[in-house]
Amino acid sequence: SIFNDIQFGTADTLVSIKGTTYPTIAIFRNPTIGGSNTFDVGFKVEDDGAGFTQLTVDSLLYQRVGATYPSKMFSVTGAGSELNLFNSGARNDTASGTFLEVQDGANIRASGCLISGFDKAVHVKNIGVAPTISFGTSQADSSGTYDIFIEHPGATGSITGSIISASQFSGSF
């Protein structure tokens, strides 16, 4: 499915995609999140490893100024899960939450992104199978604990761009 020029409102989770035995693919172009709208998780991608679940987000615009912030903008879990994130910008005015969390064999590709004001910009959790990430030509300025936090010792991938705050790596990068 392809979704163009979507503006999201208030919800617990804005988008949840869960694959099973069939390929599941969703593409969002020019989604906008901001203003007084609140949510806990922006985009959630899950796959149990039996199928293929892919989310592509191009040109996301998110800005939050206020008292309530998301716990995660993107959560990607499972060996068949994949996130492609391009040309996007996201900003909190206070360091809070995680922009991108990946775990248990999921794959992420991000390019041309500006991430600011999160406690963690990218968090590769040490849960399950090692994830793979490619984070290129992007800027992470979390203003919080870590810009990039690679917790899984088996995680692989590459990171290029500008990282402003502290980072911790324990995978193969």
Side-chain angles (χ1 to χ4, degrees):
S1 299
I2 299 175
F3 304 92
N4 292 309
D5 303 314
I6 300 288
Q7 183 167 359
F8 290 98
T10 297
D12 183 48
T13 300
L14 300 179
V15 174
S16 181
I17 301 169
K18 184 165 185 167
T20 54
T21 56
Y22 300 102
T24 305
I25 299 172
I27 300 169
F28 286 83
R29 293 184 183 127
N30 303 312
T32 304
I33 308 167
S36 60
N37 301 330
T38 60
F39 58 95
D40 185 50
V41 177
F43 297 84
K44 185 176 185 179
V45 182
E46 295 178 278
D47 196 285
D48 59 11
F52 174 73
T53 305
Q54 181 185 69
L55 171 64
T56 298
V57 177
D58 185 15
S59 302
L60 167 75
L61 178 60
Y62 165 78
Q63 181 166 340
R64 180 70 180 137
V65 179
T68 306
Y69 301 93
S71 66
K72 297 173 206 141
M73 179 60 76
F74 291 94
S75 174
V76 189
T77 303
S81 296
E82 183 175 288
L83 170 67
N84 299 305
L85 179 63
F86 306 112
N87 311 313
S88 295
R91 179 184 180 273
N92 281 332
D93 67 340
T94 300
S96 181
T98 299
F99 178 74
L100 196 153
E101 179 183 279
V102 61
Q103 63 189 13
D104 198 16
N107 295 313
I108 62 166
R109 288 181 201 90
S111 179
C113 298
L114 174 60
I115 305 161
S116 178
F118 288 83
D119 188 47
K120 294 180 184 101
V122 177
H123 185 184
V124 179
K125 295 186 88 171
N126 189 6
I127 295 175
V129 178
T132 302
I133 71 167
S134 174
F135 191 77
T137 57
S138 296
Q139 179 175 331
D141 178 11
S142 67
S143 306
T145 308
Y146 296 106
D147 282 341
I148 310 288
F149 183 31
I150 310 294
E151 206 176 359
H152 200 296
T156 59
S158 62
I159 298 170
T160 61
S162 176
I163 300 171
I164 308 298
S165 298
S167 297
Q168 178 174 328
F169 300 94
S170 63
S172 301
F173 289 87

